[in-house]
Amino acid sequence: MKLILEGHDYRYAVEQSLLAFFPGERPVYEGEDPREARVLLRLENQTALASTALSADGRTALGEAQADLSGAKDGYERERRKQRAVKLSFFEAARSLTGVTPAWGALTGIRPAKLAAELLEGGMDPQAADRVLRDVYFVSDKRRRLCLECAQAGLAAKRALSPGEISLYVGIPFCPTRCAYCSFVSNSVEKSLHLVEPYLSALFAEIDAAAEMVRDLGLRVRSFYMGGGTPTTLSADQMDRLLGRLAERFGLSGLVESTVEAGRPDTITAEKLAVLREHGVTRVSVNPQSMEDRVLAAIGRRHTAGDVRAAMELVARQGFPHVNMDLIAGLPEDTPAGFRRTLEEVAGFGADNVTIHTLSLKKGSRITLEGARLPPVEEVGAMLDHADAFLRRSGFAPYYLYRQKYMSGSFENVGWCRPGGTGWYNIYIMEELHTILSLGAGGSTKMVDPSRGRIERVFNAKYPQEYIQRPEKLSANRAAFRAFYTRMNQE
């Protein structure tokens, strides 16, 4: 669909609104197209007036919305209000044209719980915030409940934080094979085994420099998360050296949690798990995505559901305090019945965290490039509805959620936990509660000044070879980090 923007350049906001109603469409900005959205924004004194004229299939619909800018506390808030008016105008036009109201209504973007948290912090009780989500944003009953529950969990996590605390992320961009749905920065070790040791050498140097910077700034690491890729692609010796270096340089004895993604069951061994326990890891994440062998084959996994069962036996023997398992609704060849079987078996493994993702069709993934037989949106919705009801009956509650572009049905990813099993890092990063210092290839450091609502980002080199060869990029990122905290402490 052709998008014509006048008076603004809120491309991302409009594109997200487009995908919520027209999942198969991709935005274009040049040439002729019979399917067109003309999205206008103009200002009258302190009011933003937005309108959308949407044409498709020989029909046209108009949507209008406005926002009061007079009470905005700063320029950032003014921009948010203007964007909100633009999105609401598109929503009104699209709903009129299609007769469809998406599950998340007019809410787009990654963090729907953030809006609910703002309403609650602004003095509303949950019932009043629920009415705003219903009457202003047209969010469905189930999603409003999810949103408010996750917002309340986020606010509880925020109250427990102390000044000067940050979280630490370390990325290991290697996997045994590349999954068909994946667009993350990861290299198959079959093709890049020769890079692992040079990568670790570069990572150790970054750890040393970053730890010195954290000490100089008087910061403390509250939570640690190692992701990827698949960290357990490393050998037991490599993992031992890496975790030892981190503990030695950062002094991680005071953490509230330490998480390592064991991820793929075909990388899990008793020896590696023993190394994780010896280094104080409190949570491992084993991510089968499905327990249906035909689905595993369709996404390019080289393991079976039986391998997942064997891996979980090894995890149970080590006695980790917390275990997370990830599943994806909407995978190729899956069905609602298959997803139910998967979920019910996973719940029997004893994990106190279960994350239910919705398949996101990323541009660089093999599914997108080569095509695959995917469950229709209605079936994906049925999978998510079953997960919600089943997990609640099984003693789980939602504690964080986020959304991504190109998600089937424009649904969501939700982290569920049993009492005491909250994954704090997940809340910190998704609700942007404090700084996340990211080390390794593809790392995205997010610097947060919570008192002023200021967020800045710096990015490491994306690919392992580039990361190894460009230490000057890491030096520049650390300089930006120091400058951010110096400025924050002076203001």
Side-chain angles (χ1 to χ4, degrees):
M1 179 178 289
K2 184 175 182 180
L3 300 181
I4 302 168
L5 311 182
E6 297 183 11
H8 65 98
D9 191 30
Y10 299 140
R11 286 194 177 197
Y12 182 79
V14 177
E15 289 176 3
Q16 289 297 95
S17 299
L18 168 69
L19 293 171
F21 283 92
F22 305 96
E25 294 281 351
R26 291 295 181 264
V28 297
Y29 293 90
E30 304 292 338
E32 297 297 323
D33 193 316
R35 300 168 72 82
E36 176 185 286
R38 186 178 295 272
V39 188
L40 284 66
L41 179 68
R42 61 188 178 87
L43 302 181
E44 284 190 3
N45 298 320
Q46 290 295 308
T47 302
L49 303 171
S51 65
T52 296
L54 183 60
S55 300
D57 304 323
R59 295 181 299 133
T60 299
L62 181 67
E64 296 180 325
Q66 63 183 43
D68 179 13
L69 306 180
S70 60
K73 61 183 179 182
D74 53 29
Y76 177 71
E77 177 65 22
R78 283 176 63 87
E79 288 300 300
R80 288 184 59 191
R81 293 187 183 191
K82 289 190 287 184
Q83 283 193 45
R84 196 170 292 169
V86 165
K87 289 189 286 188
L88 282 170
S89 76
F90 190 101
F91 173 84
E92 290 289 355
R95 188 170 67 151
S96 175
L97 189 74
T98 65
V100 171
T101 301
W104 282 100
L107 279 188
T108 61
I110 295 172
R111 300 174 181 83
K114 202 163 188 179
L115 170 63
E118 289 172 358
L119 296 174
L120 295 172
E121 283 194 298
M124 288 189 182
D125 60 26
Q127 293 74 28
D130 181 77
R131 288 193 293 273
V132 172
L133 294 174
R134 181 192 65 194
D135 298 339
V136 177
Y137 295 98
F138 308 96
V139 181
S140 70
D141 293 349
K142 285 184 178 178
R143 269 62 192 186
R144 294 201 309 275
R145 183 182 183 186
L146 275 178
C147 196
L148 286 165
E149 288 171 323
C150 292
Q152 289 168 317
L155 291 174
K158 182 177 181 179
R159 289 191 292 270
L161 290 174
S162 298
E165 291 181 327
I166 66 171
S167 288
L168 177 64
Y169 175 88
V170 172
I172 306 299
F174 301 99
C175 281
T177 59
R178 190 175 180 85
C179 296
Y181 56 79
C182 184
S183 66
F184 290 145
V185 177
S186 62
N187 286 37
S188 165
V189 292
E190 294 174 327
K191 299 178 180 178
S192 57
L193 181 61
H194 66 286
L195 289 176
V196 177
E197 279 297 335
Y199 177 79
L200 287 177
S201 294
L203 181 58
F204 287 175
E206 188 185 14
I207 288 169
D208 293 351
E212 180 182 3
M213 174 185 71
V214 166
R215 286 194 301 273
D216 290 347
L217 293 170
L219 303 176
R220 300 176 304 281
V221 178
R222 179 178 175 87
S223 73
F224 168 69
Y225 194 103
M226 186 183 296
T230 305
T232 43
T233 301
L234 300 179
S235 69
D237 174 69
Q238 289 166 336
M239 185 67 77
D240 183 48
R241 286 188 281 131
L242 174 55
L243 290 173
R245 189 69 160 246
L246 285 161
E248 178 186 349
R249 297 297 193 264
F250 279 97
L252 300 179
S253 59
L255 297 175
V256 297
E257 67 178 9
S258 174
T259 302
V260 173
E261 287 188 3
R264 300 270 290 264
D266 44 344
T267 67
I268 296 172
T269 67
E271 185 182 13
K272 293 179 187 179
L273 293 175
V275 167
L276 300 185
R277 285 296 282 139
E278 287 167 8
H279 284 280
V281 171
T282 56
R283 176 182 285 103
V284 292
S285 183
V286 181
N287 307 329
Q289 315 304 7
S290 174
M291 294 295 289
E292 299 283 297
D293 284 339
R294 71 178 186 282
V295 177
L296 294 172
I299 64 175
R301 290 289 184 101
R302 291 188 182 174
H303 65 81
T304 65
D307 296 324
V308 178
R309 298 179 190 112
M312 289 303 293
E313 288 180 9
L314 294 177
V315 169
R317 286 179 203 152
Q318 286 295 335
F320 287 94
H322 305 288
V323 178
N324 174 75
M325 299 188 78
D326 282 10
L327 304 178
I328 299 178
L331 287 172
E333 304 300 328
D334 208 358
T335 63
F339 184 82
R340 284 196 299 272
R341 287 192 294 269
T342 286
L343 181 60
E344 288 162 13
E345 182 169 7
V346 162
F349 287 135
D352 63 350
N353 264 260
V354 176
T355 308
I356 306 296
H357 296 271
T358 302
L359 179 65
S360 178
L361 295 176
K362 298 296 183 64
K363 291 180 180 179
S365 69
R366 202 170 77 243
I367 289 176
T368 302
L369 296 174
E370 299 176 5
R373 189 171 70 84
L374 300 174
V377 168
E378 295 76 18
E379 291 189 1
V380 177
M383 295 175 190
L384 298 175
D385 287 346
H386 174 76
D388 186 294
F390 176 82
L391 288 170
R392 290 182 189 279
R393 289 197 306 271
S394 302
F396 289 82
Y399 73 97
Y400 84 104
L401 71 88
Y402 66 104
R403 301 171 71 199
Q404 296 168 274
K405 290 181 71 172
Y406 310 122
M407 296 183 83
S408 179
S410 196
F411 290 122
E412 68 284 325
N413 305 319
V414 182
W416 299 80
C417 69
R418 288 188 164 117
T422 302
W424 299 108
Y425 174 89
N426 295 324
I427 297 180
Y428 300 152
I429 190 168
M430 285 304 156
E431 299 307 316
E432 299 178 318
L433 297 184
H434 73 180
T435 289
I436 309 292
L437 173 60
S438 296
L439 311 182
S444 171
T445 289
K446 184 182 295 184
M447 299 164 283
V448 178
D449 180 351
S451 63
R452 297 172 182 82
R454 178 189 298 145
I455 296 175
E456 294 181 14
R457 295 171 175 83
V458 292
F459 303 92
N460 283 3
K462 189 173 183 181
Y463 298 104
Q465 188 76 56
E466 184 186 10
Y467 172 80
I468 294 166
Q469 294 174 346
R470 294 192 60 198
E472 73 280 0
K473 173 62 175 167
L474 305 178
S475 298
N477 288 350
R478 288 192 295 274
F481 191 99
R482 285 181 181 273
F484 180 90
Y485 273 92
T486 300
R487 186 170 63 251
M488 185 173 83
N489 293 331
Q490 289 174 343
E491 292 177 349

